[in-house]
Amino acid sequence: MLALVMLSVLSGAGLWIAGEQLSRPARASLGPPPADLQARTVRIPVPRPIPELATEQAPGQISAWFSPGQPGRGAVLLLHGVRSHRGQMLARARLLHEAGLGVLLIDLPAHGESSGERISFGWRESQGVAAALNFLRRELPQERLGVIGVSLGGASLLLLPPAERGPLQAVVLESVYPTIEEAVHNRLRVRIGEFLSRGLTPLLLSQLPLRLGVEPAQLRPEQALRQLDAPVLVAGGQLDTQTPSAETQRMAAAAPQLQALWLVEGAHHTDLQAFSPEAYRQKVLAFLIQRLRADAAAASSATP
């Protein structure tokens, strides 16, 4: 009996430590933007302080690189994945910049050089997205806006209430999980197998209210996607085990204005732009140009 009690205590301690590691901030120093991006470093205040992101003494801020692009070409907000930073989106930023689009690459809250004490799997990160979108609308009021969100980045966009998100003319969602329950289960399954992951997933998720003040039911991007009033391109790896293709297809089915579903042949849970750069140019860049360039959008709306 004592051995069983000790095993339970050790297992519980291990899960608590795992939860700590998953939610701890992912700090990184990025330095100045690359010269070829013709960007500047900006610090964007968080408009509404949220717990552990800002206090009265230390206002929250989002660190970013901003390149305004050419007038009439549109602008894109780039949102990286979990435990990464804006450097992950640099190749995408270069691709868009070469096409004349404006780009804003941010570090999500608790990532890179942005403030925040806990990663919250899209919940608090959404306020960083709100700050970034407000910044773009102030800096480029005449431009049509789009977003590329990778994994956590896409979830952070979707979990932002529609009234705070505002109108968008194009959204690209790459490898975005439908629910936090499935995201945790899939990642555990890859590491410890199906049987153990089914038992441990609820135990890990039970820490969310204690650590972050959020319930698992509040972390369901698939449900939030049903309220997204914007043209959407959904992409994912055909061989992805962390966000399986069936889940990516569900996300596509949930989008009211789905424009395209792209399952990248041979890709796992990886950087889709790096995995298939030419196809990314043909599909993602073409989609954004069509939706964001003023002349292309006008021609599209005029077509009977």
Side-chain angles (χ1 to χ4, degrees):
M1 178 63 72
L2 179 59
L4 183 59
V5 171
M6 290 297 295
L7 180 60
S8 298
V9 170
L10 290 174
S11 298
L15 285 170
W16 187 258
I17 292 171
E20 173 67 24
Q21 292 300 308
L22 288 171
S23 62
R24 65 182 174 84
R27 307 292 187 201
S29 179
L30 280 300
D36 63 319
L37 196 58
Q38 297 179 313
R40 71 178 192 268
T41 300
V42 295
R43 303 282 188 259
I44 305 171
V46 176
R48 185 180 69 193
I50 54 180
E52 295 186 8
L53 180 59
T55 66
E56 291 183 1
Q57 293 75 28
Q61 58 85 28
I62 301 302
S63 296
W65 292 329
F66 172 57
S67 175
Q70 300 175 25
R73 298 293 181 93
V76 179
L77 172 62
L78 299 173
L79 303 173
H80 61 78
V82 69
R83 307 206 67 80
S84 188
H85 49 69
R86 61 188 184 267
Q88 179 191 17
M89 308 301 285
L90 188 54
R92 291 171 178 79
R94 287 185 166 119
L95 179 67
L96 298 171
H97 175 70
E98 290 170 0
L101 288 89
V103 291
L104 179 66
L105 307 78
I106 73 167
D107 292 335
L108 290 166
H111 292 77
E113 297 175 338
S114 293
S115 58
E117 297 306 318
R118 290 284 176 189
I119 294 172
S120 61
F121 313 106
W123 187 248
R124 294 174 183 165
E125 290 83 357
S126 67
Q127 290 304 303
V129 176
L133 289 172
N134 288 336
F135 173 87
L136 276 175
R137 291 187 173 106
R138 289 193 303 270
E139 292 289 321
L140 304 172
Q142 304 304 317
E143 297 297 333
R144 298 168 65 85
L145 298 185
V147 179
I148 298 177
V150 174
S151 192
L152 172 68
S156 301
L157 172 72
L158 295 176
L159 294 175
L160 183 63
E164 297 181 43
R165 186 167 53 226
L168 295 170
Q169 284 70 52
V171 172
V172 178
L173 301 173
E174 300 183 28
S175 308
V176 178
Y177 65 83
T179 70
I180 191 64
E181 293 92 342
E182 288 165 296
V184 172
H185 171 68
N186 291 338
R187 284 153 180 79
L188 284 177
R189 180 179 57 190
V190 170
R191 291 165 175 80
I192 62 176
E194 176 72 23
F195 178 75
L196 288 176
S197 67
R198 287 197 177 278
L200 294 180
T201 293
L203 297 178
L204 272 175
L205 292 173
S206 68
Q207 297 182 35
L208 289 174
L210 298 173
R211 291 186 182 277
L212 306 173
V214 60
E215 297 288 342
Q218 295 172 287
L219 299 175
R220 293 179 175 170
E222 180 185 12
Q223 181 177 323
L225 178 53
R226 300 183 189 281
Q227 303 178 51
L228 181 62
D229 184 19
V232 177
L233 185 155
V234 175
Q238 184 188 42
L239 302 179
D240 194 339
T241 55
Q242 298 187 37
T243 306
S245 60
E247 294 181 9
T248 298
Q249 290 172 316
R250 273 174 45 203
M251 292 293 285
Q257 296 187 44
L258 179 69
Q259 304 298 300
L261 167 63
W262 179 31
L263 291 177
V264 184
E265 186 174 354
H268 293 266
H269 196 78
T270 188
D271 186 320
L272 300 179
Q273 192 272 337
F275 183 86
S276 189
E278 186 53 38
Y280 196 94
R281 175 186 295 273
Q282 293 175 5
K283 295 180 181 295
V284 176
L285 179 61
F287 166 70
L288 292 170
I289 288 175
Q290 179 187 22
R291 294 294 168 181
L292 300 183
R293 281 180 56 165
D295 52 355
S300 176
S301 62
T303 302

